Amino acid sequence: MSTMNAKASSGGEEEALGMRSDTLGESVCSGEGKRRQMIRVAYLIATLELTFLFMQMGVMPYLAKSLGLDLVGFGYLQTTFGILQLVGGPIFGRFADQFGTRAALILSCASGSAFFLLMSISTSIPLLFLSRLPAVFMHGLPGAQKVITDLTTPSQRADALGKLGLCFGIGIIIGSALGGVLSTKFGIFVPTYVGLVGNLINTTIAMVWIPLQAKPKSDHRVTEHSNVFSIREILRLMKFPGVMEVFIVKAFAGLPAGLFLIMFSIISMDFFGLEAVESGYLMSYFGVLQMVVQGLVVGKLTNHCTERTLLRLSVFIFAGVGLGMSLMRTVWHYCIVAVPLVFAFSTLGTITDSILTKAVPSSDTGTMLGICASVQPLTRTVGPTIGGVLYKQFGVSSFGYLQLIVNIGLFVYLLKSKIPLREMKSQ
């Protein structure tokens, strides 16, 4: 009798253990499924925000011209936008660390709504300048990067961040085309209405699909709430091992090429002799390259190469791009140079973001991503002035020579320096 009871008890324990095991397995699968869903939502939010941003970029010159703003005034308008984004990037990152990714994404999308609302009622030049003000918190891409950083392991991060390049490419292609079609067929203000409605939809998506705390509990650190605007807290991250060195490479490796791209609308007319439609086709070509390289190539490379190797590779290719730009004479030459140019930009951006977010505590990844996001606005801010001087005084080839010299110096620096990196490959 006691033997039978023992067997029954043993069988019951095994059954209970099996049920617990099944439940645990289902819980793990469910948790993984939710993570993937949140990452997909982050990709969607980034794609929509970038689409509307590129849509307004295509329409803005015509809107400014219709209000009587000359080329110098338009330059000031663009500089204002760049400065606001430059200042807002680190603050937005601090906000994400302090109040969570959901709040940060809602802030970004709501700011986008205010941006397009003010644009839609811009019947004078002062109102048009005022419409730039919400741009200080329009950082959907860093917000999406923050979600991905929180929900991926360090070894998966570069691949997941690289796929945001697809969002960027889609935004360039659809946004540029949509802005042109809507403004031509329905009026100059119609794209602003579409942008307003789209950003309101984006805000709703962030509120419904992004949880209050996106970061897994095991990774979450409770930190004392300090001032979001604290410069000291932002600069503190630069003191972590390897952060300043990698950030310098990130900021300077693509700067000369970035200056060239900022001046490209003028270069395409004066140097290449392109019409507006042909320039649009070239932008679409650039967008397709971005999608292919960041969405397909960079992810595969992170599976087989260490981040140190990819960092050096991107800088070396940037040097080669500089040589190609210095010899460039026709638009077909540019189409060839654009392939390694996009590869170098995509690889450098993805790898440096991945390295820098691993180099700081998980509670500071938002701030770090905000600092990384300030590189592009900085280029947009100083670009028109420096790029204009280079182009006017020394010609198109000067961008190439500067690109070559800067990146040869950075490549030698990377070979000799011992920057501490976590050598991880994606699994």
Side-chain angles (χ1 to χ4, degrees):
M1 188 74 175
S2 63
T3 305
M4 289 176 65
N5 287 338
K7 284 183 179 179
S9 175
S10 176
E13 286 176 6
E14 286 180 7
E15 186 178 348
L17 191 62
M19 288 176 67
R20 251 180 272 151
S21 212
D22 290 343
T23 306
L24 184 62
E26 288 174 8
S27 176
V28 170
C29 289
S30 174
E32 185 63 28
K34 286 181 180 178
R35 283 192 184 202
R36 287 179 181 174
Q37 179 179 293
M38 280 189 280
I39 289 173
R40 289 192 193 105
V41 170
Y43 287 145
L44 175 62
I45 290 172
T47 302
L48 290 174
E49 182 152 322
L50 288 165
T51 298
F52 301 134
L53 188 63
F54 281 108
M55 182 177 69
Q56 72 85 27
M57 282 181 179
V59 172
M60 184 53 63
Y62 302 98
L63 178 58
K65 188 178 179 181
S66 70
L67 296 175
L69 195 66
D70 60 15
L71 286 175
V72 176
F74 183 70
Y76 290 145
L77 187 71
Q78 295 295 80
T79 301
T80 302
F81 183 83
I83 291 172
L84 287 168
Q85 289 251 295
L86 173 63
V87 172
I91 296 172
F92 178 84
R94 286 278 297 157
F95 183 89
D97 286 332
Q98 294 283 340
F99 301 102
T101 310
R102 181 174 182 264
L105 281 172
I106 291 171
L107 174 64
S108 175
C109 298
S111 298
S113 302
F115 178 84
F116 280 101
L117 176 63
L118 289 171
M119 267 187 71
S120 68
I121 60 171
S122 293
T123 53
S124 65
I125 292 174
L127 271 176
L128 190 62
F129 272 88
L130 183 64
S131 72
R132 307 291 92 183
L133 195 58
V136 73
F137 292 123
M138 285 170 56
H139 295 279
L141 189 60
Q145 289 175 323
K146 170 69 173 164
V147 173
I148 291 166
T149 301
D150 287 347
L151 297 177
T152 55
T153 62
S155 61
Q156 298 169 332
R157 191 167 299 168
D159 185 21
L161 288 172
K163 287 185 172 63
L164 276 171
L166 282 169
C167 307
F168 200 87
I170 292 169
I172 291 176
I173 295 167
I174 297 179
S176 302
L178 191 61
V181 171
L182 290 175
S183 60
T184 303
K185 291 194 173 183
F186 304 104
I188 196 70
F189 283 102
V190 172
T192 65
Y193 304 143
V194 173
L196 172 59
V197 174
N199 273 277
L200 289 172
I201 292 171
N202 234 4
T203 307
T204 306
I205 292 172
M207 293 174 68
V208 173
W209 292 102
I210 302 294
L212 282 170
Q213 182 53 53
K215 187 180 291 188
K217 290 182 180 178
S218 59
D219 295 337
H220 181 59
R221 297 182 185 184
V222 179
T223 56
E224 185 182 344
H225 284 261
S226 56
N227 189 356
V228 171
F229 300 95
S230 172
I231 302 297
R232 184 182 297 174
E233 284 296 310
I234 292 169
L235 294 178
R236 174 180 62 86
L237 301 185
M238 289 296 176
K239 297 177 182 177
F240 282 92
V243 170
M244 181 60 80
E245 294 90 337
V246 174
F247 186 77
I248 288 172
V249 174
K250 180 182 183 68
F252 287 99
L255 180 60
L259 298 176
F260 169 81
L261 292 174
I262 284 171
M263 297 298 298
F264 186 73
S265 57
I266 294 173
I267 291 171
S268 64
M269 288 187 293
D270 291 350
F271 187 75
F272 293 133
L274 300 181
E275 300 291 335
V277 176
E278 293 168 329
S279 293
Y281 291 150
L282 210 54
M283 284 297 293
S284 296
Y285 168 69
F286 206 81
V288 171
L289 282 178
Q290 179 96 14
M291 287 173 62
V292 172
V293 171
Q294 265 201 277
L296 302 175
V297 178
V298 175
K300 291 186 182 299
L301 282 176
T302 58
N303 292 333
H304 301 95
C305 304
T306 62
E307 290 175 339
R308 187 187 300 274
T309 301
L310 290 176
L311 183 62
R312 289 173 176 171
L313 176 65
S314 61
V315 171
F316 181 76
I317 291 177
F318 258 137
V321 166
L323 180 61
M325 287 173 65
S326 65
L327 300 173
M328 185 169 59
R329 296 292 178 270
T330 69
V331 69
W332 297 110
H333 293 163
Y334 173 72
C335 288
I336 296 169
V337 171
V339 177
L341 176 63
V342 170
F343 174 82
F345 262 125
S346 301
T347 307
L348 182 77
T350 301
I351 295 304
T352 51
D353 285 351
S354 178
I355 291 170
L356 291 170
T357 53
K358 292 177 195 173
V360 300
S362 62
S363 56
D364 291 316
T365 53
T367 307
M368 192 70 253
L369 286 168
I371 294 171
C372 292
S374 67
V375 172
Q376 195 175 16
L378 176 63
T379 307
R380 282 204 302 265
T381 302
V382 302
T385 303
I386 299 175
V389 171
L390 282 174
Y391 179 57
K392 191 173 181 180
Q393 298 294 329
F394 306 104
V396 171
S397 60
S398 63
F399 295 100
Y401 290 126
L402 185 60
Q403 180 76 20
L404 177 62
I405 293 166
V406 168
N407 281 276
I408 286 176
L410 288 174
F411 186 70
V412 172
Y413 170 70
L414 285 174
L415 287 176
K416 290 187 174 182
S417 66
K418 296 180 180 179
I419 300 173
L421 302 179
R422 297 184 188 182
E423 297 291 353
M424 291 185 180
K425 302 175 190 176
S426 297
Q427 300 300 317

